[in-house]
Amino acid sequence: MTAAARFPRRRTPAPPTSPAAGARARPDLDQLTGLRTGKPSFYPEYREGAERLRRVILALDRISAALVRTMEGSEALVRAVADAAADHLSADWVVLGLVDGELPDAAPRHVVLGPDGVEWADLGSVPERVRRHVERLHAGDGHHHHDDDPRPRHLHVPIRLDGRTVGGFVAWTPPERHIDDTDHSVLRILAGQTASALQNCALLERAERLHAHTAAQAEDLRVRNDELMLTQQALGAARQREVLDNERHRIARELHDSVTQYALSAGMHIELCRSEITEPVLLQHLDTAKDLTRRAVEQLRSAIYALNDDDHADKDLPSMLRQLSTVHMPDELRVEVTIGGAPVPLPHEHEQSLFRIAGEALFNTAMHASASRAVVRLAYADGRVRLSVSDDGGASPEQIRRTLRAASVRGPSGEHRGLVNMDARAREMGGALRFRRSRIGGLQVQVDVPIGTPGKELG
């Protein structure tokens, strides 16, 4: 074994590298972190940049919070935007003003916020420089007017919409708060968004006014339509009454000119026969015929009077019933009328139908019941009105009901037509016609009709 093999050769250490070479060999910390730690002014600049970033984030948050007030109207929006600008700049004074003639629906036209964010409504009490800027904003003077202080503590940002100036911001900051480019950017963003928000607010308010106007017009049209419908109904009812009155008058003339004359002629011939006949039995029959003729003439005259009577058109139902009981009945029948409860106005056609039912019932009492007394009672109560006509005659309720059923089955005819008409009128009013024994011994005709006003119980 050689000496070289026994004693390995010592490696000569490499010579030390230069500082420049060491700098090239280790990783560049600046490249990894994006920071230059060796720059003495780095940390102050970092802190200042972080503070600006924080202010920008807070400012954007304030802007967002202000712009969502659009739905509350232009007044809330203008004040919220002015507050946002004052908060971001920590300003002593902030003015937001709109150019005269622009955005005419927006109000207020200017907002002046003083120290601590207090609003100054009286321009006469604000500093002169603030008042001048308010006037310039209203006049549309969008130029940047510098104060005598050379430090950047005064800011003027126009609010522009569709290429024209519609308003602007003016702000003054305290000595320790200088205005930088970031502040200019934030206020320009706020101004641009404010212009759009004010326009949207104006459109919203206009839409609300149009909606309210349209709703008012729709309500007015509804009211007018209701009035028109009522007028049409009144005209229809008046026309119907006119047709009925003409027909009643025609029938009255026919009865007077023909039937009454025939009855009177029959009575005169009976009287002539009586003067020539001496047999007692025949005289008795002629006396009966004369009495029947007299009764027929009385009933015809009562019917003619009723058909020609137009005075009841403007009277209420109780008054019409009282008049019916005094002028349309024969002397030997005593008629009483009683009213129960507080009278309630009924539809005209209902009052007419009840009046006709009462008249037909009294006519039947006078002609067929051999009664000396009749009681007409009208009672208002419990959401209905009840009309009853009672007598002390000899008619049977069961017989009257059978007669009505038979007449209804046979259909229209001259026989028992009055009963059928009474039943039809009651049904047309939503009521019912009933017959029962009266408390004074004879027949009671009763009609119940529903009405809309509740009251006391019916007797």
Side-chain angles (χ1 to χ4, degrees), residues 205-221:
E205 292 176 348
R206 188 176 304 170
E208 290 176 347
R209 289 196 300 270
L210 290 175
H211 179 269
H213 182 67
T214 302
Q217 286 186 327
E219 177 63 18
D220 182 65
L221 288 175

Side-chain angles (χ1 to χ4, degrees), residues 403-416:
T403 300
L404 176 59
R405 286 197 295 270
S408 300
V409 171
R410 285 194 300 268
S413 66
E415 188 177 7
H416 306 300

Side-chain angles (χ1 to χ4, degrees), residues 19-72:
R24 288 192 301 269
R26 63 176 178 267
D28 188 348
L29 185 61
D30 295 345
Q31 293 179 1
L32 291 177
T33 63
L35 304 175
R36 294 186 178 276
T37 58
K39 186 176 181 180
S41 61
F42 167 74
Y43 289 107
E45 291 180 359
Y46 178 82
R47 287 195 297 270
E48 183 179 353
E51 178 63 20
R52 283 199 301 269
L53 180 61
R54 185 186 67 83
R55 290 205 312 269
V56 169
I57 293 174
L58 290 177
L60 294 177
D61 183 65
R62 294 189 190 99
I63 292 172
S64 300
L67 295 178
V68 297
R69 306 290 294 274
T70 302
M71 297 297 295
E72 301 178 29

Side-chain angles (χ1 to χ4, degrees), residues 12 55 57 67-68 70 75 77 124 134 152 157 170 183 195 198 246 265 278 285 419 447:
T12 303
R55 290 205 312 269
I57 293 174
L67 295 178
V68 297
T70 302
E75 182 173 355
L77 174 63
V134 173
V157 177
V170 182
D183 298 325
L198 282 173
N246 292 337
S265 297
T278 58
H285 287 306
L419 288 175
V447 180

Side-chain angles (χ1 to χ4, degrees), residues 55-314:
R55 290 205 312 269
V56 169
I57 293 174
L58 290 177
L60 294 177
D61 183 65
R62 294 189 190 99
I63 292 172
S64 300
L67 295 178
V68 297
R69 306 290 294 274
T70 302
M71 297 297 295
E72 301 178 29
S74 60
E75 182 173 355
L77 174 63
V78 168
R79 287 189 166 86
V81 168
D83 287 336
D87 288 343
H88 172 68
L89 295 174
S90 303
D92 283 341
W93 292 92
V94 166
V95 174
L96 188 154
L98 300 177
V99 176
D100 293 338
E102 296 289 348
L103 300 174
D105 296 329
R109 304 302 296 174
H110 64 262
V111 173
V112 178
L113 299 181
D116 299 324
V118 176
E119 182 175 348
W120 291 58
D122 183 13
L123 288 181
S125 59
V126 302
E128 177 64 20
R129 59 177 181 173
V130 176
R131 185 183 59 78
R132 289 198 309 269
H133 279 80
V134 173
E135 295 172 353
R136 290 167 180 166
L137 289 175
H138 285 321
D141 187 355
H143 298 291
H144 189 152
H145 296 272
H146 294 277
D147 289 334
D148 297 334
D149 191 346
R151 292 173 296 177
R153 293 176 46 225
H154 172 233
L155 177 67
H156 183 121
V157 177
I159 299 175
R160 299 184 63 80
L161 179 65
D162 297 333
R164 68 183 190 277
T165 300
V166 298
F169 290 101
V170 182
W172 292 265
T173 60
E176 68 277 6
R177 177 65 167 88
H178 295 172
I179 299 172
D180 54 25
D181 293 339
T182 302
D183 298 325
H184 281 275
S185 298
V186 169
L187 267 294
R188 281 195 295 270
I189 293 174
L190 180 59
Q193 296 300 317
T194 299
S196 300
L198 282 173
Q199 187 179 47
N200 292 336
C201 189
L203 292 175
L204 176 63
E205 292 176 348
R206 188 176 304 170
E208 290 176 347
R209 289 196 300 270
L210 290 175
H211 179 269
H213 182 67
T214 302
Q217 286 186 327
E219 177 63 18
D220 182 65
L221 288 175
R222 186 192 66 79
V223 171
R224 291 176 180 272
N225 182 69
D226 292 343
E227 293 175 351
L228 179 60
M229 294 297 294
L230 291 176
T231 302
Q232 289 178 339
Q233 292 176 2
L235 289 174
R239 177 58 181 167
Q240 185 179 18
R241 287 196 299 270
E242 181 183 2
V243 172
L244 291 175
D245 289 343
N246 292 337
E247 185 65 14
R248 287 192 297 107
H249 294 161
R250 185 191 67 80
I251 295 174
R253 286 193 301 270
E254 292 293 330
L255 290 175
H256 179 271
D257 296 340
S258 59
V259 180
T260 303
Q261 300 302 320
Y262 292 151
L264 290 173
S265 297
M268 293 175 62
H269 283 82
I270 292 172
E271 187 63 27
L272 289 174
C273 291
R274 285 182 74 255
S275 63
E276 297 179 0
I277 296 176
T278 58
E279 186 176 345
V281 176
L282 293 178
L283 286 174
Q284 184 178 359
H285 287 306
L286 289 174
D287 288 340
T288 301
K290 180 181 179 181
D291 183 64
L292 291 175
T293 304
R294 181 183 61 83
R295 286 175 174 268
V297 172
E298 289 178 352
Q299 291 299 323
L300 283 171
R301 286 174 176 173
S302 296
I304 292 170
Y305 180 86
L307 289 171
N308 280 321
D309 184 16
D310 294 329
D311 293 339
H312 66 271
D314 297 328

